[in-house]
């Protein structure tokens, strides 16, 4: 402090001399130099926090700069006069409801004016420097939550600079073995979890540009994200060290020795902070003086700022905001960077019974196997602390109980760093008693350690396997801590083995030698030892937890790395054993499994007998085909206690994401009683009921089929409907329309006449103007063109097929010229490449999913809607345009966004339209239709394919139904006619009055909002 004080006094003396000599004359010159002195002082004293505290060049108001919102500066030129600065300050103070304090100067004299508009002290500027320093310290010393977010988040120019520094050092030192291994391991893990598609890469590249970093390739995109996470990992490590109250300030600890070893020892003195792959920064520091200086400067400034933080001002929301604001919403969506809503966390903990004194039981271990940033752990710790305080436990007893019983696992190293910090935050001042944070960096889906007589084999993905002694003889913590110290200290083999007692040294001599050789010859690096220690610790949690909670990652199969997909298929029945509807008129459809489903199966492996599992999970668990085995096991072999369905609720549970959450809780024991089901609608109203889990599957007796989360009276109606006839998909093939995979080439938005009656001028979807033969044009109907009882078309397709839906081998001249201009684009389509594998004689303009049956009369419906919206579509329509172009009668071409039954007789199509738009069918399908995440339902082809349809529809009976449907198409949906239709459909299904009332009641609730 003394040195900084002298520097500030010297700088103020220099400023005064330059003003008196006339070197600095204007207001702008004096303001700039004075504020630079202030900023230098703040940076030395308060690090990063100074940069958000000093607001420069405020504008046209009465003041020039502000610190902390309460200390303002008014700077004048010599010509304007020192007294003018005092007058302006007093005037401004008098105009404010919460008056600030002012410091004013013209570079020679200074004055301090308090919030009562009183001039407390005035003197030469240099003589006022002690007063000025005191004012600055007071203004900055207690940062608010907003200050912390602004200081350490990406909006801070200083943080952007730090990330740029890390990026440049990574580029310069990628060839260092430890840097390369750290990045490669991080990238392999990150690629498994993040769907970094082209749009997301573009978004990341734009953000990097804002940081002054130009990136072009996919690899550089990952490198930038690695640099961003490294910055935050450094911040979290320093802040976690700060939370350990038994230590000096972080800055003092770092100054205690030689950089970078003091930074490394932050994670050696105690395991509050763990050595991880983000410590790659240490190797460039050891190799390059320039890199060492830059990283040390960054770390020390961060440490200075971190030491200013009052931990009471920080909670998990602040850390969450700091990190989430680093990425725009598009990037966060692609990378899955979403945090679990606190309300859902509390509800899950309630559902599994983790509350009250029960949490203090010796066997009440809790694990979140996908802990992410540690939200579940944070809330669980708070519940444990409340119960322990109520019982009168000491702080040390509370910490010991928490760390022995509340555990987290995550595969992503940055998530682990976040979770560890939040773990300490949840303990508050008690964190000083923490010796180890039980949040482990490993894969909770990894197979169990292979036990042998002489020990265990511990495997870390991408790093390898090592045989270790049985933990009953040499504990994993003891073993790997000794190995880490051996690598850091450069121990020989004998010195390492001497760490263990003589009995175990002799018993495990060869195994210990193998451990030493593995790490010194293959790993070389203490950075990876904690990874093996964590894997070993997690194996010890198998079959030992009373509570499993969490929000497993929701990642579709196509976004998962191929090797991981294969392992999941091999190791998890839930992941690889789906339900199939087995429709006779359609090949068995499939849906790619979600990563989350494997964590349900793995969760039960950690539970004790009778232990409770509670997850926030995608509602596809209840409805998607891929979850068949999971549903069977939960309903038949577990005690399925509670299902809470939020899929239609209006509340946004995940920032920037429309997800469809479900809470499911089950005990690791045989079924025992009913399942309690809670369903929310779009207006946040709630229905709740109890049901026998055997009665939840859609198809009675098939526990793999989708769950129908509807009241028991409606379940009775569904059972009645199921027995009334055949499934629609067993009679007619449910399908979708044609797929071009190049809509911008084939779709036409505008048609104009030319001087030739056989040719027209068209504008395609990509706004290209071209002249083509009008014979190739057909009206196009998409999903958005179909509503309840009606349809239209507003665009066309260049139809390169004949009347029998065979692709043209030769095109008309003008169309051929147009198509040739797009040959490269059309040949690159993935669908075309697949077609070529099946028939290499197909021309490159062929489209997918085309057959004659798709051109027949049909009943079609929108894929995405609240409930079914169907219309009868004829095979042909007459096309006469306002532009004067008359195409005559043309086939109506459905696109892939339209769902329908194909090759259907005209009369059956009309009757089936009536069935689909009826209340019984809507209630039936609504009970199991998958959700979009945006409070709507997906009505895929298979979804309606499994709808039972009364036999009379297919036999050609129920003629009055045809009349009703034709009337409804003509009127667009007359209410009286709809009521009559519902009554007739209910009779055909054989529904009772009670069942019909249940249908109407459910639909009123289901479609509300």
């Amino acid at each position: 402090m003394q040195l900084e004080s002298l520097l500030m006094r010297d700088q103020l003396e220099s400023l005064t001399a330059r003003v008196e000599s006339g070197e600095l004359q204007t207001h702008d010159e004096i303001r700039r130099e004075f504020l630079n002195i202030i900023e230098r002082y703040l940076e030395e004293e308060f690090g990063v926090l100074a940069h958000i505290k000093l607001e420069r060049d405020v504008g046209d108001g009465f003041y020039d700069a502000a610190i902390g919102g309460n200390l303002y500066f008014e700077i004048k030129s010599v010509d304007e006069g020192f007294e003018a600065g005092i007058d302006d300050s007093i005037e401004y103070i008098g105009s404010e409801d919460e008056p600030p304090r002012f410091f004013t100067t013209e570079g020679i004299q200074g004055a301090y004016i308090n919030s009562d508009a009183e001039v407390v002290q005035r003197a030469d500027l240099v003589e006022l420097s002690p007063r000025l320093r005191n004012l600055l310290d007071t203004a900055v010393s207690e940062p608010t939550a907003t200050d912390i977010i602004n200081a350490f988040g990406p909006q801070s120019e200083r943080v952007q600079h730090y990330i740029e520094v890390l990026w440049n050092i990574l580029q310069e030192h990628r060839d260092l073995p430890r840097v390369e291994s750290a990045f490669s391991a991080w990238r392999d893990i990150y690629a498994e979890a993040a769907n970094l598609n082209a749009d997301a890469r573009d978004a990341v590249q734009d953000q990097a540009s804002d940081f002054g970093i130009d990136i072009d390739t996919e690899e550089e995109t990952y490198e930038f994200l690695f640099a961003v996470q490294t910055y935050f990992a450094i911040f979290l490590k320093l802040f976690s060290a700060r939370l350990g109250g038994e230590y000096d300030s972080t800055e003092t600890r770092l100054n205690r020795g030689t950089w970078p070893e003091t930074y490394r020892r932050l994670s050696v003195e105690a395991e509050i902070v763990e050595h991880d792959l983000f410590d790659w920064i240490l190797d460039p520091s050891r190799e390059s003086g320039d890199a060492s200086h830059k990283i040390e400067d960054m770390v020390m400034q961060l440490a200075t700022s971190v030491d200013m933080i009052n931990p009471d001002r920080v909670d998990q929301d602040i850390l969450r905001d700091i990190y989430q604001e680093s990425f725009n919403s598009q990037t966060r969506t692609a990378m899955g960077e979403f945090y679990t809503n606190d309300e859902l966390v509390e509800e899950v903990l309630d559902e599994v019974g983790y509350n009250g004194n029960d949490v203090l039981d010796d066997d009440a271990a809790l694990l979140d196997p996908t802990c992410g940033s540690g939200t579940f752990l944070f809330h669980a710790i708070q519940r444990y602390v409340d119960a322990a305080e109520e019982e009168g436990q000491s702080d040390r007893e509370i910490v010991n109980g928490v760390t022995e019983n509340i555990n987290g696992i995550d595969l992503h190293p940055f998530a682990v760093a976040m979770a560890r910090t939040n773990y300490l935050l949840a303990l508050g001042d008690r964190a000083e008693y923490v010796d180890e944070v039980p949040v482990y960096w490993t894969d909770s889906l990894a197979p169990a350690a292979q036990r042998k007589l002489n020990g265990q084999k511990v495997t870390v993905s991408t790093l390898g396997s090592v045989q270790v002694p049985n933990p009953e003889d040499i504990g994993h913590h003891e073993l790997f801590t000794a190995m880490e110290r051996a690598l850091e200290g450069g121990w020989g083999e004998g010195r390492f083995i001497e760490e263990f007692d003589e009995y175990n040294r002799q018993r495990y001599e060869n195994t210990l030698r193998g451990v030493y050789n593995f790490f010194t010859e293959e790993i070389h690096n203490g950075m990876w030892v904690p990874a093996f220690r964590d894997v070993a610790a997690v194996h010890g949690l198998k079959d030992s937890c009373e509570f499993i909670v969490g929000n497993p990652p929701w990642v579709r199969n196509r976004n998962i790395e191929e090797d991981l997909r294969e392992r999941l298929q091999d190791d998890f029945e839930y992941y690889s054993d789906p339900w199939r509807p087995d429709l006779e008129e359609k090949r068995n459809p499939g849906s790619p499994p979600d990563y989350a489903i494997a964590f349900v199966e793995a969760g039960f492996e950690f539970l004790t007998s009778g232990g409770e599992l509670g997850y926030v999970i995608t509602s596809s668990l209840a409805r998607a085909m891929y979850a068949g085995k999971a549903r069977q096991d939960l309903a038949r072999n577990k005690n399925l206690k509670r299902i809470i369905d939020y899929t239609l609720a209006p509340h946004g549970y995940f920032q920037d994401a429309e997800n469809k959450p479900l809470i499911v809780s089950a005990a690791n024991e045989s079924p025992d009683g009913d399942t309690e089901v809670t369903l929310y609608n779009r207006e946040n109203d709630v229905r709740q009921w109890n049901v026998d889990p055997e009665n939840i599957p859609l198809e009675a007796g098939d526990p793999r089929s989708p769950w129908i989360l509807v009241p028991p009276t409606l379940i009775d109606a569904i059972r009645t409907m199921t027995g009334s006839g055949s499934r629609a998909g067993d009679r007619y093939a449910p399908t979708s329309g044609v797929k071009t995979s190049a809509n911008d080439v084939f779709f036409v938005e505008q048609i104009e006449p030319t001087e030739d009656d056989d040719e027209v001028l068209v504008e395609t979807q990509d706004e290209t103007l071209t002249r083509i033969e009008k014979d190739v044009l057909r009206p196009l109907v998409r999903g958005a063109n179909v509503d309840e009882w009606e349809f239209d078309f507003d665009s066309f397709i260049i139809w390169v097929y004949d009347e029998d839906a065979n692709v043209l081998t030769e095109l008309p001249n003008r169309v051929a010229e147009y198509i040739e201009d797009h040959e490269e684009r059309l040949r690159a389509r993935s669908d075309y490449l697949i077609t070529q594998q099946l028939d290499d004689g197909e021309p490159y303009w062929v489209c997918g999913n085309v057959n004659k049956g798709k051109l027949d009369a049909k009943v079609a419906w929108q894929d995405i809607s609240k409930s079914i919206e169907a219309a009868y579509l004829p095979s042909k329509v007459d096309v006469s345009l306002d532009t004067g172009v008359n195409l005559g009668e043309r086939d109506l071409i459905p696109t892939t966004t339209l769902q329908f039954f194909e090759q259907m007789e005209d009369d059956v199509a009309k009757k089936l339209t009536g069935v689909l738009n009826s209340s019984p069918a809507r209630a039936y399908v609504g009970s199991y239709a998958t959700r979009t995440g945006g409070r709507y339902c997906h009505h895929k082809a298979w979804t309606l394919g499994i709808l039972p349809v009364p036999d009379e529809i297919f036999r050609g009976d129920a003629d009055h139904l045809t009349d009703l449907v034709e009337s409804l198409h003509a009127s667009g949906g007359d209410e009286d006619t709809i009521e009559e239709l519902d009554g007739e459909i209910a009779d055909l299904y054989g529904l009772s009055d009670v069942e019909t009332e249940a249908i109407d009641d459910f639909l009123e609730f289901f479609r509300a909002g």
Side-chain angles (χ1 to χ4, degrees), residues 788-989:
E788 183 181 13
W789 306 116
E790 59 187 12
F791 78 96
D792 60 16
F793 58 88
D794 53 15
S795 56
F796 297 82
I797 186 172
I798 298 175
W799 189 238
V800 289
Y801 289 80
D802 63 20
E803 293 299 318
D804 294 319
N806 298 312
V807 66
L808 299 174
T809 55
E810 292 187 16
L811 299 175
N813 291 336
R814 289 192 179 274
V815 173
E817 291 175 3
Y818 170 74
I819 292 294
E820 285 172 8
D821 289 341
H822 296 85
E823 180 174 355
E824 183 178 356
R825 164 93 163 82
L826 298 178
R827 286 190 181 277
R829 294 173 296 166
S830 59
D831 296 319
Y832 173 68
L833 295 175
I834 294 172
T835 301
Q836 286 298 91
Q837 293 174 3
L838 300 175
D839 183 357
D840 60 8
E842 295 279 27
Y844 65 83
W845 53 82
V846 69
C847 297
N849 215 22
V850 178
N851 62 55
K852 184 68 169 67
K854 295 186 188 297
L855 308 185
D856 292 338
K858 58 183 68 68
V859 52
W861 61 90
Q862 283 195 33
D863 172 16
I864 298 175
S865 55
K866 286 184 179 179
S867 57
I868 307 168
E869 295 182 6
Y872 163 76
L873 274 62
S875 61
K876 296 180 183 291
V877 293
D878 190 70
V879 181
S880 182
L881 304 178
D882 293 340
T883 59
V885 176
N886 185 1
L887 300 182
E889 192 175 61
R890 295 291 172 97
D891 289 318
L892 188 62
I893 308 300
T895 74
T896 189
T897 59
L898 190 70
Q899 312 287 309
F900 56 92
F901 292 101
E902 69 177 17
Q903 293 182 307
M904 181 172 289
E905 300 88 345
D906 189 82
D907 183 60
V908 173
K910 291 179 180 178
K911 291 174 181 176
L912 188 53
T913 303
V915 173
L916 297 189
N917 282 336
S918 71
S919 293
R922 284 172 166 163
Y924 189 101
V925 172
S927 71
Y928 63 85
T930 58
R931 310 299 197 237
T932 66
R935 299 185 290 119
Y936 290 89
C937 296
H938 272 302
H939 299 98
K940 296 293 187 185
W942 74 267
T943 309
L944 269 64
I946 64 176
L947 171 70
V949 176
D951 288 333
E952 291 87 341
I953 302 299
F954 301 121
R955 289 200 305 259
D957 298 338
D959 291 337
H960 183 52
L961 186 56
T962 302
D963 297 336
L964 290 174
V965 171
E966 289 178 347
S967 173
L968 287 166
H969 274 94
S971 66
D974 175 71
E975 288 188 12
D976 291 337
T977 310
I978 289 173
E979 186 175 347
E980 185 178 354
L981 173 82
D982 277 346
E984 180 149 343
I985 298 297
D987 289 342
L988 290 172
Y989 274 121

Side-chain angles (χ1 to χ4, degrees), residues 301-312:
Q301 287 215 32
L302 281 170
T304 300
S305 302
V306 164
D307 285 342
M308 296 304 304
I309 298 175
N310 179 353
D312 293 338

Side-chain angles (χ1 to χ4, degrees), residues 527-545:
M527 178 172 65
W528 298 117
V529 175
F532 286 86
R533 180 172 57 214
D534 286 357
V535 169
V538 167
H539 290 322
L541 294 172
K542 297 284 186 178
D543 304 315
S544 67
C545 297

